[in-house]
Amino acid sequence: MEEHQDSDSALREDIRDLGELLGATLREQGGAELYETVERVRVLAKTARAGDDEAAQELERTLSELPPEQVTPVARAFSQFLNLANIAEQHHRVRRSREWARTPEARPLFGSLAETVPRLAADMEPEQLHEAICNMDINLVFTAHPTEVQRRTMLQKYNRIAGLLDNRDRFGQTPTEVAETRLALKREITAAWHSDEIRRRRPTPQDEARWGLAVVEQTLWDAVPRYLRSLDHTLREHTGRPLPLDCAPITFGSWMGGDRDGNPNVTHRVTRDVAILSRWMAAYLYERDIQRLVSTLSLQVCDDELREEVGGEAWEPYRVVLKRLRARLRQTMRWAEAKLQGGRPPESDILSDVEDLRQPLLRCYYSLQRVGAGVVAEGELLDTIRRVSCFGLTLMPMDIRQHAERHTAVLDAITRAVGLGSYAEWDEPTRQQWLFQELSHRRPLIPLDFKPEREVQEVLDTIRMLEEIGPDAVGAYIVSHAAKPSDILAVELLQKECGLTHPTRVVPLFETRDTLAEAADTMEVLFESDWYRQRIAGRQEIMIGYSDSTKDAGHLTSTWTLYQAQEQLVALSRRQRIDLTLFHGRGGSIGRGGGPTHAAILAQPPGSVDGTLRVTEQGEVMQAKFGLPGIALRNLELYTTSVLEATVRPPEPPPQRWREILDRLSARAMAAYRDTVKERPEFMDYFRAATPIDEISRLTIGSRPAKRSPDQMTVDSLRAIPWVFAWTQTRLMLPAWLGVGEALEEAIEEGLTEELQEMFAHWPFFEAFLDMVEMVVAKAEPGVNRLYEHALVPEELRGVGDELRERFARTRDAVLTVTGHEQPLSDFPVVKRAVEVRNPYVDPLNLLQVELLRRSRMCEDDSLRRGLQVVINGIAAGMRNTG
């Protein structure tokens, strides 16, 4: 307990220190008046949070009366503090992990390799454990969904601040060094204050891809070999066998530059350029590694095989091999640069096969082992070999995502052109029969003189481009809004007609309640086809969407539908003897499937995590999970241990009685949710008035439009990200809880409280769900929503808000009744403390946003728009999982 308190005091000291440095920066750079205003607002906000109504009124009055020239600086001050608090908390997590590891009597950290592997090893044969770990296939897919509103330059500054906090902790600094570190911290905070944290233009897909590649360069490039060394050590200790050199249980993928669903900015040329950019970045990072190895591997002794390769007279054989490899890497970089500039450089002597990179490194490694210099081989050389296994030649193979309707439009244009009628008007059996027939024909279908409309041509150009960039650069072809077997077969046919020699695997994305419920039936039709079974060669990947299913039917119904869909798909694949990989399209927020990694994976249905897992990592989640080396290492461990445990020790299937209760809860929750958001015509008017949704739609935070249809604003047309983001900004968090309260209340009134509590205690799925809802309840502030309403919503619509806040209160009570907690987050003190620390700093930003929205809706003004962007940024930083 004493150690826990000491560690918490270190966090408080970091936050206090960073706050003091920010205050000094405000006084020096912004003037005494700005500093005094910010201090006054801060004190009033903390006093108001303590329950002082007079302070709350004075806070509102102070912020509403701010002169225009002070609004943005005040907002920036609170936004910057929240970002600094986030840095301190992330650093604190790393510090706590190190403290834990340094304490001999402490139990290993929950979810770590040191905790999980010995526990599982107690009931497994060593060979079985080794095989389970080495056969794992976890793929983390970085997406460009724009919930990360920070500019890359600001993130780099914040990472440097985290590094300075780390240095201050780790090296026992002298008083002079402490002073120098403090000065360096002030320097970074001052530089951040004078930097523009708001993007002046909307990022391009190429910009988003560069941001994703920067995460690899700055963090994962070093974290991955550290993680693999730890995994190797654990395997040797508990199985007596090492991790194979070519084994990479975790790899990475990307949607950046490949996700074209509803994004007209992602064209085939953009995708091609991003693929080439990834090749360049990979070559650059490997060249950096090889340059270091050239400097260190100056040994003269080697085995006969390596001596023969380099020539008998070579004085330093390893350097000869490595310099040849370095030359090819540099040539690959020059080739990529020329391609990006529109040239057609020769492909001779570039690295086009991963074995061209791996084999020279392995020859050096095995030679060192054979001549007794294994300790040298196990250093930087082994790290580079491990990186090759994880990152290949492209770092993150890119998925292509396209809406099913776009493929229908292409085939419709083709069938009309060849005189077969309208494919779009055919029923599903007719489509399937024709598709299977065409897939079996060797003759071409597309006429040589085919000149379709631009959108149809773009789909064909994209598929043909896949042949140019090569199979190593492509992960999967995702068919979003897949509903029928023909949606999958359509892409298979288009790949055949476009002449792909190595067709990309086609992955259906089922993302609404109805298509999820029918997913197993859809796939069974395909699995019964001899052609399709031969095409997939016993392996099938299926993506399930959390965001749109939640927006469509509500959080509870979506979660239960996803669980059942996975059960059905697992059962089907086992009957058909097909290896299934489920791809989870999760967002950062609770309302889009977000939540703690370990609990979420262990809550999946039995058999659904069978050594394989793909999952999206989106927006601010990328920075929160992989922005700092220590945090990245911890998250890689958590993915490994949770997938391992879910594979070798899956949860028991729930009793039929619990399933029946969930069915009833789901039906009631969906009815309550849809009745509100889809059946009440005034709801969307309230939503647009009470939240900054229109302003968010104009933000320059992502390359994709906020709406699928530019001419309307409905729940169905709105993308899931801005839908959740807008409610998070006003802190009502509606998508994560609406409908849950009505369902639980009804069950409680029917006398099912004890059964619900038993389900919470013994069913990981239900426990994880309610834990997440309870977290949302703790973070929500209905009183803040009321402030938006009073200032922005017409009187005739305010009844909607009154009803929503009353339903929120009932949801909170019902959730606590089932969990048995007196207050939300009783079991999560760390999260509870983080929420409490942030609230006094987020509150003023909400009040400023209300005032800015009120002013901007009366008149358009660039300064108001900039102020709104700063405030939105700050609230997102304070709420963390925003959209």
Side-chain angles (χ1 to χ4, degrees):
M1 179 62 70
E2 184 178 348
E3 179 189 342
H4 177 75
Q5 291 173 343
D6 287 344
S7 185
D8 285 351
S9 69
L11 171 61
R12 289 194 297 272
E13 182 181 342
D14 281 345
I15 293 177
R16 183 170 55 249
D17 200 17
L18 292 173
E20 288 175 358
L21 290 170
L22 177 61
T25 299
L26 294 179
R27 188 187 295 108
E28 295 170 8
Q29 307 299 321
E33 184 180 1
L34 172 62
Y35 172 75
E36 289 166 5
T37 300
V38 170
E39 272 299 288
R40 174 173 170 74
V41 170
R42 185 182 70 84
V43 171
L44 285 172
K46 293 191 77 169
T47 308
R49 266 282 154 188
D52 189 323
D53 291 339
E54 289 186 11
Q57 293 170 9
E58 180 64 20
L59 177 64
E60 286 187 54
R61 184 164 53 253
T62 299
L63 291 173
S64 66
E65 294 174 357
L66 278 180
E69 65 273 12
Q70 276 204 354
V71 171
T72 297
V74 170
R76 290 190 69 220
F78 282 91
S79 175
Q80 293 240 8
F81 175 81
L82 287 165
N83 281 307
L84 292 173
N86 288 343
I87 295 166
E89 287 188 2
Q90 283 191 302
H91 169 64
H92 182 60
R93 287 175 58 194
V94 177
R95 175 168 51 209
R96 286 292 304 278
S97 295
R98 286 203 300 261
E99 287 175 357
W100 205 301
R102 284 198 303 263
T103 307
E105 65 275 12
R107 289 178 300 175
L109 195 62
F110 176 74
S112 65
L113 291 169
E115 183 272 333
T116 305
V117 173
R119 176 163 50 83
L120 298 178
D123 300 322
M124 299 176 66
E125 293 294 327
E127 289 185 5
Q128 182 187 8
L129 177 61
H130 189 273
E131 182 180 0
I133 291 176
C134 294
N135 288 341
M136 281 197 300
D137 182 7
I138 304 167
N139 188 240
L140 309 182
V141 182
F142 290 171
T143 81
H145 292 292
T147 54
E148 175 53 76
V149 295
Q150 293 284 355
R151 289 178 64 211
R152 180 180 165 189
T153 184
M154 295 300 291
L155 293 173
Q156 290 170 337
K157 286 180 172 63
Y158 295 151
N159 283 345
R160 287 196 291 270
I161 291 172
L164 289 168
L165 293 177
D166 189 51
N167 288 344
R168 186 166 68 178
D169 278 354
R170 297 185 72 178
F171 298 117
Q173 293 183 326
T174 67
T176 300
E177 290 169 334
V178 169
E180 289 174 349
T181 298
R182 185 175 176 82
L183 182 60
L185 284 168
K186 186 178 180 182
R187 191 176 295 120
E188 292 293 346
I189 291 171
T190 302
W193 177 253
H194 284 296
S195 298
D196 192 350
E197 65 267 68
I198 302 302
R199 297 185 182 102
R200 294 296 183 177
R201 64 174 179 83
R202 188 176 292 276
T204 65
Q206 293 96 322
D207 292 331
E208 292 170 333
R210 290 186 187 96
W211 190 83
L213 292 171
V215 175
V216 175
E217 178 185 7
Q218 295 170 11
T219 306
L220 291 173
W221 196 251
D222 291 326
V224 163
R226 283 179 58 196
Y227 148 74
L228 291 173
R229 283 199 300 271
S230 178
L231 186 58
D232 178 69
H233 173 78
T234 303
L235 274 176
R236 290 174 187 270
E237 182 179 359
H238 295 283
T239 71
R241 297 170 61 190
L243 186 73
L245 296 180
D246 61 351
C247 181
I250 296 180
T251 55
F252 301 90
S254 174
W255 278 13
M256 300 179 184
D259 182 7
R260 59 226 326 112
D261 178 14
N263 189 347
N265 300 308
V266 180
T267 65
H268 71 281
R269 290 187 177 88
V270 166
T271 300
R272 169 189 172 275
D273 286 352
V274 170
I276 295 169
L277 178 64
S278 297
R279 286 279 299 275
W280 182 91
M281 179 60 81
Y284 165 75
L285 292 174
Y286 286 124
E287 194 273 344
R288 226 171 47 177
D289 278 10
I290 300 304
Q291 182 61 38
R292 285 197 300 268
L293 290 171
V294 167
S295 299
T296 57
L297 292 184
S298 57
L299 292 78
Q300 300 175 36
V301 60
C302 69
D303 66 2
D304 293 341
E305 182 179 336
L306 191 67
R307 180 72 64 189
E308 182 179 349
E309 178 181 341
V310 301
E313 301 303 318
W315 181 44
E316 295 175 325
Y318 301 99
R319 283 182 165 179
V320 173
V321 173
L322 293 170
K323 285 179 179 179
R324 290 174 183 171
L325 184 55
R326 184 182 63 185
R328 295 192 68 183
L329 286 164
R330 289 174 176 174
Q331 179 62 22
T332 302
M333 292 166 64
R334 288 191 289 269
W335 167 85
E337 289 164 1
K339 292 277 283 186
L340 288 171
Q341 293 169 5
R344 294 187 177 182
E347 299 195 2
S348 58
D349 215 28
I350 68 168
L351 292 173
S352 55
D353 187 317
V354 71
E355 292 305 317
D356 293 340
L357 176 59
R358 191 197 321 266
Q359 289 306 318
L361 297 172
L362 287 176
R363 286 196 291 275
C364 291
Y365 176 87
Y366 288 125
S367 173
L368 288 167
Q369 293 284 4
R370 288 170 186 144
V371 298
V375 66
V376 177
E378 301 290 335
E380 289 187 349
L381 176 58
L382 177 58
D383 285 349
T384 302
I385 293 169
R386 299 278 198 210
R387 289 185 181 111
V388 174
S389 298
C390 177
F391 295 111
L393 292 180
T394 57
L395 300 182
M396 301 183 291
M398 180 172 30
D399 286 355
I400 307 298
R401 184 168 78 131
Q402 183 60 278
H403 199 292
E405 289 181 357
R406 295 291 299 275
H407 308 125
T408 298
V410 174
L411 290 177
D412 187 70
I414 293 171
T415 56
R416 288 176 182 272
V418 298
L420 294 177
S422 172
Y423 175 87
E425 295 176 1
W426 297 348
D427 60 20
E428 180 61 19
T430 304
R431 289 187 185 185
Q432 288 180 34
Q433 181 181 6
W434 180 77
L435 288 164
F436 279 125
Q437 173 184 303
E438 290 300 322
L439 284 163
S440 300
H441 280 167
R442 300 185 65 178
R443 56 142 178 85
L445 172 66
I446 301 176
L448 292 176
D449 60 351
F450 185 55
K451 297 189 186 313
E453 295 180 354
R454 182 178 59 83
E455 289 192 350
V456 168
Q457 186 64 53
E458 174 59 34
V459 174
L460 294 173
D461 288 343
T462 296
I463 295 175
R464 289 174 179 138
M465 176 271 309
L466 300 182
E467 183 75 10
E468 177 188 351
I469 64 176
D472 290 345
V474 185
Y477 195 115
I478 311 292
V479 183
S480 63
H481 284 269
K484 300 294 182 184
S486 61
D487 292 330
I488 296 97
L489 295 173
V491 181
E492 296 287 8
L493 179 58
L494 290 175
Q495 290 194 98
K496 168 182 172 288
E497 294 302 321
C498 289
L500 267 64
T501 54
H502 299 283
T504 301
R505 69 182 188 275
V506 180
V507 177
L509 167 51
F510 301 109
E511 49 193 323
T512 67
R513 177 180 176 273
D514 290 343
T515 56
L516 283 163
E518 297 167 2
D521 292 339
T522 298
M523 298 310 302
E524 186 166 21
V525 171
L526 294 171
F527 291 163
E528 293 293 336
S529 157
D530 291 339
W531 182 91
Y532 191 80
R533 290 183 71 90
Q534 183 176 3
R535 165 72 177 98
I536 63 174
R539 301 190 66 86
Q540 175 68 56
E541 182 179 323
I542 297 172
M543 186 170 184
I544 52 176
Y546 290 67
S547 301
D548 282 341
S549 61
T550 300
K551 183 165 67 74
D552 173 46
H555 186 196
L556 193 157
T557 303
S558 167
T559 304
W560 180 229
T561 302
L562 285 157
Y563 187 95
Q564 293 174 298
Q566 290 182 75
E567 287 184 313
Q568 294 160 9
L569 289 167
V570 167
L572 171 65
S573 63
R574 286 180 174 174
R575 287 198 307 272
Q576 296 281 357
R577 297 183 179 179
I578 289 170
D579 293 331
L580 175 66
T581 296
L582 288 167
F583 185 3
H584 298 258
R586 302 167 69 91
S589 66
I590 306 304
R592 296 182 53 242
T597 298
H598 198 269
I601 292 174
L602 292 179
Q604 300 306 310
S608 61
V609 182
D610 190 13
T612 67
L613 178 77
R614 288 194 93 204
V615 62
T616 51
E617 295 286 10
Q618 301 182 352
E620 83 283 1
V621 172
M622 287 170 60
Q623 178 64 18
K625 284 187 173 182
F626 305 106
L628 296 178
I631 298 292
L633 193 62
R634 171 67 172 158
N635 279 290
L636 293 174
E637 271 201 332
L638 285 172
Y639 267 113
T640 303
T641 57
S642 55
V643 169
L644 176 64
E645 184 158 1
T647 300
V648 304
R649 194 179 290 176
E652 292 292 324
Q656 181 60 30
R657 171 64 177 166
W658 293 358
R659 302 179 66 89
E660 292 169 358
I661 291 174
L662 248 298
D663 285 339
R664 291 164 58 187
L665 291 175
S666 173
R668 179 70 183 95
M670 183 174 69
Y673 175 87
R674 285 185 170 176
D675 180 65
T676 300
V677 304
K678 295 191 175 184
E679 303 301 327
R680 297 184 63 175
E682 69 271 27
F683 176 80
M684 282 304 295
D685 293 333
Y686 176 86
F687 172 58
R688 294 187 70 173
T691 75
I693 182 58
D694 290 327
E695 290 76 13
I696 288 169
S697 300
R698 293 193 289 269
L699 280 180
T700 54
I701 60 175
S703 68
R704 220 166 59 160
K707 294 181 291 182
R708 284 191 166 87
S709 171
D711 301 323
Q712 58 179 332
M713 173 77 80
T714 66
V715 173
D716 291 333
S717 70
L718 193 65
R719 293 191 181 280
I721 291 171
W723 162 248
V724 174
F725 197 20
W727 287 111
T728 306
Q729 286 282 304
T730 65
R731 297 168 73 182
L732 192 58
M733 318 287 279
L734 177 139
W737 59 262
L738 185 62
V740 175
E742 287 82 356
L744 293 178
E745 270 189 335
E746 186 175 278
I748 290 168
E749 289 170 0
E750 293 175 358
L752 299 178
T753 303
E754 289 188 9
E755 285 188 272
L756 291 172
Q757 291 174 338
E758 185 182 359
M759 292 162 61
F760 177 71
H762 300 291
W763 189 7
F765 161 77
F766 194 58
E767 177 190 16
F769 171 77
L770 282 186
D771 279 344
M772 292 305 97
V773 177
E774 187 175 285
M775 183 183 295
V776 168
V777 165
K779 295 177 76 169
E781 290 288 344
V784 171
N785 165 257
R786 186 185 292 110
L787 294 173
Y788 282 78
E789 182 180 293
H790 285 176
L792 303 170
V793 177
E795 185 132 9
E796 64 271 15
L797 293 175
R798 292 182 184 175
V800 176
D802 291 336
E803 178 189 327
L804 291 176
R805 288 187 294 274
E806 189 267 336
R807 290 168 70 178
F808 170 83
R810 286 163 44 201
T811 300
R812 180 183 186 276
D813 292 343
V815 168
L816 293 177
T817 296
V818 177
T819 62
H821 299 153
E822 291 186 8
Q823 295 291 329
L825 296 179
S826 297
D827 286 357
F828 300 94
V830 174
V831 179
K832 187 172 187 292
R833 183 176 61 249
V835 172
E836 291 169 350
V837 167
R838 283 177 172 76
N839 278 337
Y841 297 90
V842 182
D843 292 344
L845 290 171
N846 282 117
L847 290 168
L848 280 172
Q849 188 176 79
V850 169
E851 182 60 23
L852 287 166
L853 288 170
R854 187 186 66 78
R855 296 182 191 183
S856 68
R857 289 177 182 181
M858 290 191 294
C859 67
E860 284 288 331
D861 182 90
D862 286 343
S863 64
L864 292 174
R865 187 179 299 111
R866 171 170 165 72
L868 267 173
Q869 289 182 310
V870 171
V871 169
I872 289 170
N873 187 347
I875 295 171
M879 300 301 290
R880 299 301 296 272
N881 46 353
T882 57

